[in-house]
Amino acid sequence: MRIISGQLKGRRITAPKNLPVRPTTDLAKESLFNILNNHYYFEDISVLDLFSGTGNISYEFASRGTNRVTAVDNHFRCTKFIEQTSQALELPITAIKSDVFKFLENSKQSYTVIFADPPYDFSLDLFSKLPELVFQNSLLEENGLLILEHSKHTDLSDLKHYLYTKTYGGNAFSFFSNE
């Protein structure tokens, strides 16, 4: 994987092969950040990266100047890799090993952008639980966005707080807001 923009633009990061992940493609990531670039100054926001895997999205935010990035994954090797990589690159990323749903139930922090990349085989019930917990627990700041990455074959348009979906190849990003 590579960092597309910011202070570490072009930097390649090689994740261990034994991590149970499916990193966001460069095309999809670049498209997502083009959208976000029109909404936010990255230096002024806070980010929660759920199901963070290799930390691909977290590194991109931090490289672009985001000073508060929290990466949550339930897999120890993933959070350990993010922790080691962010320290080596001197990026302000906090890696937390936790079940995402438990983290959302117990978190007292709010964020400008919450990005979630759950397994593509998640049921619609599990997908719907993510925005439900985020909005029920007021985890999204005013003018914030919740972004769920999923297969283009998954339709989340009936979920509460849904705004729109953008599709890139086999990937899709659905956007949610508290407005």
Side-chain angles (χ1 to χ4, degrees), residues 70-87:
T70 304
V72 178
D73 200 283
N74 70 348
H75 197 278
F76 173 76
R77 286 181 294 180
C78 289
T79 55
K80 187 75 172 162
F81 177 73
I82 294 168
E83 197 174 90
Q84 292 170 339
T85 304
S86 59
Q87 284 176 0

Side-chain angles (χ1 to χ4, degrees), residues 2-179:
R2 74 180 169 92
I3 297 176
I4 295 168
S5 189
Q7 70 184 37
L8 298 174
K9 179 180 180 177
R11 172 70 68 98
R12 293 202 175 276
I13 299 171
T14 304
K17 298 213 182 293
N18 60 353
L19 296 182
V21 297
R22 174 199 33 77
T24 302
T25 65
D26 281 354
L27 169 70
K29 184 169 64 170
E30 188 165 8
S31 300
L32 171 65
F33 277 88
N34 284 339
I35 293 169
L36 293 173
N37 202 33
N38 291 319
H39 283 66
Y40 303 110
Y41 292 108
F42 292 105
E43 305 83 18
D44 298 338
I45 67 172
S46 58
V47 173
L48 176 60
D49 181 7
L50 302 171
F51 305 96
S52 53
T54 61
N56 189 10
I57 296 296
S58 293
Y59 306 137
E60 194 68 43
F61 274 108
S63 176
R64 292 168 186 247
T66 303
N67 291 312
R68 188 166 67 98
V69 179
T70 304
V72 178
D73 200 283
N74 70 348
H75 197 278
F76 173 76
R77 286 181 294 180
C78 289
T79 55
K80 187 75 172 162
F81 177 73
I82 294 168
E83 197 174 90
Q84 292 170 339
T85 304
S86 59
Q87 284 176 0
L89 298 175
E90 298 179 0
L91 296 173
I93 300 170
T94 302
I96 298 174
K97 184 198 174 303
S98 176
D99 173 81
V100 165
F101 296 108
K102 286 181 183 165
F103 180 87
L104 292 175
E105 287 169 2
N106 297 316
S107 181
K108 303 295 181 228
Q109 295 263 318
S110 61
Y111 302 87
T112 316
V113 174
I114 300 175
F115 179 83
D117 184 9
Y120 273 21
D121 62 356
F122 250 31
S123 67
L124 194 53
D125 285 343
L126 286 175
F127 268 113
S128 68
K129 195 172 175 185
L130 292 167
E132 181 182 305
L133 286 169
V134 165
F135 293 107
Q136 174 183 307
N137 295 322
S138 302
L139 302 179
L140 199 60
E141 294 173 358
E142 189 176 326
N143 299 319
L145 285 173
L146 166 64
I147 305 159
L148 301 182
E149 183 174 352
H150 54 89
S151 163
K152 70 177 183 177
H153 303 295
T154 302
D155 181 7
L156 303 179
S157 62
D158 288 337
L159 300 182
K160 198 171 179 188
H161 300 284
Y162 173 83
L163 293 174
Y164 59 90
T165 297
K166 294 283 190 178
T167 304
Y168 305 96
N171 295 0
F173 297 110
S174 288
F175 293 78
F176 299 80
S177 174
N178 51 11
E179 294 179 2

